[in-house]
Amino acid sequence: MPSKKPFALAVDDEPSDLENVRDALANAGYHVLTASDAKSAIEIFQRHADQIEILVTDVAMSPVGGCDLAAALVKLKPDLHVTFVSAYSGSLVFRYGEVPTFPFALVAKPFSAQDLLAKIRPETVKVRSAGSVESTEG
């Protein structure tokens, strides 16, 4: 019996970035659902919450940013694996929302499919303290 494809929800308000995330995940064997804003993402998540294992979201979106979106979805599904993508670096990354207190990974734009896929594996990232990220990769 073939194994089931894991579900991922990709959210980005930039169509080309959303397409890049979708393609990387689909080529890696994920069933990918996409949304161009937080409202659509929440609607999709409510319909597929039991299936979605991974959220990949841009940080800087309007009117609801990726941090706030992820926080809302993690409240609904605490074991959701979250990966943020951002063109910002350092302290600017989370200027659009509070620094998450749940485990997450962060990928800087632009990124390769390999960079993204390395970060979405939940065992590669752990939270040291509220919002402080440490990679467990060598």
Side-chain angles (χ1 to χ4, degrees):
M1 174 180 230
S3 63
K4 69 175 184 99
K5 280 183 162 184
F7 273 67
L9 174 58
V11 189
D12 201 310
D13 56 356
E14 292 293 330
S16 62
D17 290 344
L18 183 59
E19 182 179 335
N20 289 339
V21 171
R22 183 199 65 219
D23 291 349
L25 294 172
N27 289 336
Y30 289 89
H31 181 84
V32 185
L33 304 170
T34 61
S36 60
D37 58 52
K39 181 181 178 196
S40 299
I42 290 169
E43 291 170 0
I44 291 168
F45 189 83
Q46 288 172 333
R47 289 194 307 269
H48 300 280
D50 290 343
Q51 298 165 299
I52 295 172
E53 299 174 17
I54 295 167
L55 171 68
V56 178
T57 183
D58 188 19
V59 173
M61 298 187 298
S62 183
V64 177
C67 295
D68 294 333
L69 168 64
L73 298 184
V74 167
K75 280 184 184 177
L76 298 172
K77 187 171 187 170
D79 62 342
L80 182 66
H81 300 292
V82 177
T83 298
F84 293 110
V85 295
S86 180
Y88 296 101
S89 63
S91 62
L92 294 177
V93 171
F94 295 110
R95 73 181 192 178
Y96 292 98
E98 292 186 28
V99 175
T101 57
F102 49 83
F104 65 94
L106 177 63
V107 180
K109 292 180 181 179
F111 53 83
S112 68
Q114 184 177 9
D115 293 338
L116 177 66
L117 295 171
K119 290 291 186 169
I120 64 168
R121 293 178 299 157
E123 66 274 12
T124 65
V125 174
K126 63 182 178 181
V127 172
R128 290 190 311 234
S129 62
S132 179
V133 179
E134 175 180 297
S135 175
T136 58
E137 292 184 337

